[in-house]
């Protein structure tokens, strides 16, 4: 989760969810361009229901397998640590997704737990993205939890311009740098 901007910390605040959504979007678009398939979509691992890392992430010679994982194919997550019902019941974004200076419960709860549960590369900010499960399993699920939270009509993302006008830097499928504001994510 290192960003191109060394001054941009995308954890421990309300930046967490929109930055990771943008990161997944651009990563997925790079993959789509690489295989010439605009229908390609990242899957998610629903660790709230499937307590083992899916079999597609295991096996010698499998590009989705990271030899540095501490978790094994028989390791099971603690279902009490990956429950999403309590997250989806949170009435305000500040509790769910954070504030300008504090993490929300999505990040401090199942997000951090799964990173530590898998361990290895996933256990460090600087190497987490080296494990393919970072994108196509874990963070896709985190983004899904945000999407599910937003399905409740009483839930509202921040409308504060300080949040809406946050700008993140990414790279397009052609390698061109681009910037995108939260309001456009």
């Amino acid at each position: 989760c290192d960003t191109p901007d060394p001054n941009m910390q995308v954890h421990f605040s309300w930046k967490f969810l929109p930055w990771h959504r943008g990161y997944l979007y651009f990563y997925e678009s790079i993959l789509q361009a690489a295989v010439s398939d605009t229908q390609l979509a990242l899957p998610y691992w629903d660790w709230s229901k499937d307590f083992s890392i899916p079999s597609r992430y295991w096996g010698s010679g499998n590009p989705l397998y990271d030899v540095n994982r501490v978790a094994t194919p028989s390791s099971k997550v603690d279902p009490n640590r990956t429950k999403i019902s309590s997250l989806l019941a949170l009435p305000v974004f500040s509790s769910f997704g954070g504030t300008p200076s504090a993490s929300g419960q999505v990040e401090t709860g199942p997000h951090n737990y799964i990173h530590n549960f898998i361990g290895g590369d996933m256990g460090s900010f600087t190497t987490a993205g080296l494990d393919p499960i970072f994108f196509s399993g874990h963070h896709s699920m985190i983004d899904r939890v945000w999407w599910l939270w937003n399905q409740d009509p009483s839930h509202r993302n921040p409308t504060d311009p300080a949040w809406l006008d946050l700008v993140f830097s990414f790279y397009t499928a052609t390698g061109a740098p681009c910037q995108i504001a939260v309001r456009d994510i």
Side-chain angles (χ1 to χ4, degrees), residues 23-136:
Y23 194 49
L24 288 172
Y25 170 80
F26 285 101
Y27 179 71
E28 190 173 75
S29 68
I30 290 166
L31 292 176
Q32 290 171 344
V35 298
S36 301
D37 182 358
T38 58
Q39 299 302 305
L40 179 140
L42 293 172
Y44 61 88
W45 164 33
D46 189 346
W47 29 248
S48 72
K49 295 178 182 170
D50 183 358
F51 303 129
S52 296
I53 297 173
S55 61
R56 69 178 169 259
Y57 295 101
W58 299 106
S60 179
N62 179 352
L64 299 179
Y65 175 55
D66 182 353
V67 299
N68 296 319
R69 284 185 196 136
V70 174
T72 67
S74 61
S75 297
K76 303 258 188 235
V77 300
D78 177 350
N80 294 318
R81 308 275 310 267
T82 59
K83 240 189 271 187
I84 62 172
S85 57
S86 58
L87 295 172
L88 299 178
L90 292 169
V92 294
F93 187 87
S94 58
S95 297
F96 178 80
T99 68
S101 59
S103 300
Q105 291 181 39
V106 172
E107 182 179 5
T108 61
H111 169 265
N112 290 353
Y113 170 72
I114 292 294
H115 271 282
N116 292 321
F117 165 79
I118 294 171
D121 289 327
M122 279 285 283
S124 168
F125 284 136
T126 58
T127 58
L130 297 175
D131 188 331
I133 204 168
F134 172 91
F135 300 98
S136 66

Side-chain angles (χ1 to χ4, degrees), residues 164 180-185:
L164 294 171
I180 188 166
V182 167
R183 70 176 65 252
D184 298 321
I185 291 178

